Amino acid sequence: MIFRKAVQPDFDSIQNLYWTLIDREQDNPSFPHWKKGIHPSDEMLQESIEKGEMYVLADGEVAACVIANNEKVDEYVDVPWQVDSDDVTVLHILAVHPDQRGKGLARELMAKMIGLERSKGKKALRLDVIENNVTAEKFYQKTGFQYIQTKTLYYDVVGEMVFKLYELVL
């Protein structure tokens, strides 16, 4: 698998990854309430590709992807983060195509992101996980992320929900 920034021709493959994941996992109690065309929206995916914020593992088709930028909700401001800096990256909607599970692609993608952000001089990676997404929480903990706080956050796409916030000091 090749790690790289997504490019415009990847859009259909990325959209297919998320839509397939939604179709297969929407009844899983650990699934993060994603909905086709709403979250992640086509606009969100297109914009992240255009801005160079979408990263993929691909061998032809996209097998895994994540958005990495500095976008965060207002409620992040009063969180007791370990790193007191704005020089951090926030990860969003990390996903592995259901047909590619069990191959260590999430670990590989995260290792590449950690290396990339370290090389950019970033101080930390941050993310939030919807409270019921136990699978994601276990993955992030194994990857070295530290639980920081449980907090109600507001996102336009899901409204107010309870999230667990994690940080990895680089």
Side-chain angles (χ1 to χ4, degrees):
M1 291 284 164
I2 297 169
F3 172 74
R4 60 178 172 77
K5 282 186 179 181
V7 292
Q8 200 56 51
D10 293 323
F11 175 80
D12 289 340
S13 184
I14 291 167
Q15 181 191 59
N16 177 62
L17 184 157
Y18 285 109
W19 286 21
T20 302
L21 188 59
I22 290 166
D23 284 344
R24 294 192 194 170
E25 297 294 324
Q26 63 187 346
D27 295 329
N28 180 339
S30 189
F31 191 68
H33 302 281
W34 295 347
K35 293 185 178 18
K36 284 184 180 180
I38 297 172
H39 186 66
S41 69
D42 289 352
E43 295 78 19
M44 176 186 191
L45 299 176
Q46 289 280 12
E47 186 175 301
S48 67
I49 293 169
E50 289 168 12
K51 289 181 173 180
E53 299 173 344
M54 172 73 77
Y55 293 86
V56 300
L57 280 177
D59 187 11
E61 293 295 305
V62 173
C65 55
V66 65
I67 294 174
N69 58 35
N70 63 357
E71 294 179 20
K72 54 198 169 294
V73 293
D74 293 340
E75 294 88 349
Y76 267 41
V77 172
D78 61 350
V79 172
W81 300 109
Q82 301 169 90
V83 173
D84 184 20
S85 173
D86 289 331
D87 201 12
V88 301
T89 297
V90 182
L91 300 178
H92 309 273
I93 62 172
L94 186 146
V96 174
H97 194 288
D99 294 344
Q100 298 294 327
R101 288 197 175 152
K103 298 179 180 180
L105 297 181
R107 270 191 319 276
E108 182 180 346
L109 180 59
M110 187 58 73
K112 298 286 189 185
M113 290 307 303
I114 290 168
L116 177 65
E117 297 306 309
R118 269 194 185 121
S119 73
K120 291 178 179 179
K122 296 294 183 176
K123 306 293 184 219
L125 292 176
R126 294 180 180 157
L127 55 89
D128 52 65
V129 179
I130 202 158
E131 187 176 44
N132 66 325
N133 195 342
V134 178
T135 304
E137 280 192 75
K138 286 179 183 176
F139 167 71
Y140 293 124
Q141 290 167 0
K142 284 182 185 176
T143 309
F145 281 80
Q146 299 296 310
Y147 166 78
I148 303 298
Q149 184 180 58
T150 298
K151 189 171 180 81
T152 299
L153 304 176
Y154 177 80
Y155 283 100
D156 288 339
V157 292
V158 294
E160 274 193 356
M161 295 192 79
V162 177
F163 289 83
K164 293 188 177 179
L165 286 73
Y166 284 86
E167 183 177 44
L168 176 70
V169 176
L170 301 173

